[in-house]
Amino acid sequence: MSDCLFCKIAAGEIPSNKVYEDELCYAFYDIDPQAPTHFLVIPREHIPSVAGIGPDNAALAGHLLEVISRVAKELGLDSYRVVSNIGEQAGQSVPHLHFHVLSGRDMTWPPG
Ligand code: 5GP
Ligand code: ZN
């Protein structure tokens, strides 16, 4: 999607601090980190949120989770939280599917 911030970041049109990339996805550090380690994993394809995952792109969604697991291991994270906000009330501010990966501090439950 031409006017989407995360499509532009995945395409390298807007600079970011890369954690990982492959042909299907891109991972980069959050510009406003909420934990000592905070990165985002996004598909290169524009999908608005988890609500846009269906039978046709379920394999891609699984790949994003596999990448999270692999990158977290590579970064030496042994405890971390994966969050995806869906819709404004849940706190989604960028309408392109992304998984937050947060680590390095105590987390509270339930989330606010
Ligand atoms: P959401 O609020 O949609 O769950 O998460 C969007 C995240 O994207 C936020 O944590 C925000 O800090 C991050 N973000 C917004 N704009 C940029 C940007 O230009 N670069 C990077 N690296 N992160 C961004
Ligand atoms: Zn997009």
Side-chain angles (χ1 to χ4, degrees), residues 1 4-8 44-47 95-96:
M1 217 169 106
C4 170
L5 172 64
F6 283 2
C7 281
K8 289 179 178 168
R44 292 192 185 277
E45 175 189 344
H46 183 84
I47 298 170
H96 179 125

Side-chain angles (χ1 to χ4, degrees), residues 8-108:
K8 289 179 178 168
I9 286 178
E13 294 165 13
I14 290 176
S16 63
N17 193 356
K18 182 177 79 174
V19 181
Y20 170 86
E21 70 176 328
D22 62 28
E23 67 282 2
L24 296 175
C25 72
Y26 186 74
F28 57 106
Y29 286 104
D30 198 291
I31 203 167
D32 181 22
Q34 302 301 310
T37 299
H38 182 180
F39 63 90
L40 305 171
V41 180
I42 67 174
R44 292 192 185 277
E45 175 189 344
H46 183 84
I47 298 170
S49 75
V50 166
I53 296 171
D56 291 347
N57 55 17
L60 173 58
H63 178 70
L64 298 177
L65 291 174
E66 188 274 326
V67 164
I68 288 170
S69 172
R70 185 152 37 96
V71 171
K73 284 186 187 78
E74 286 170 6
L75 294 177
L77 308 181
D78 55 7
S79 183
Y80 56 94
R81 182 169 289 179
V82 178
V83 176
S84 194
N85 299 318
I86 296 100
E88 279 181 33
Q89 189 176 30
Q92 184 177 11
S93 60
V94 179
H96 179 125
L97 173 63
H98 50 283
F99 290 102
H100 297 258
V101 181
L102 302 125
S103 184
R105 66 166 170 81
D106 293 341
M107 305 277 171
T108 59

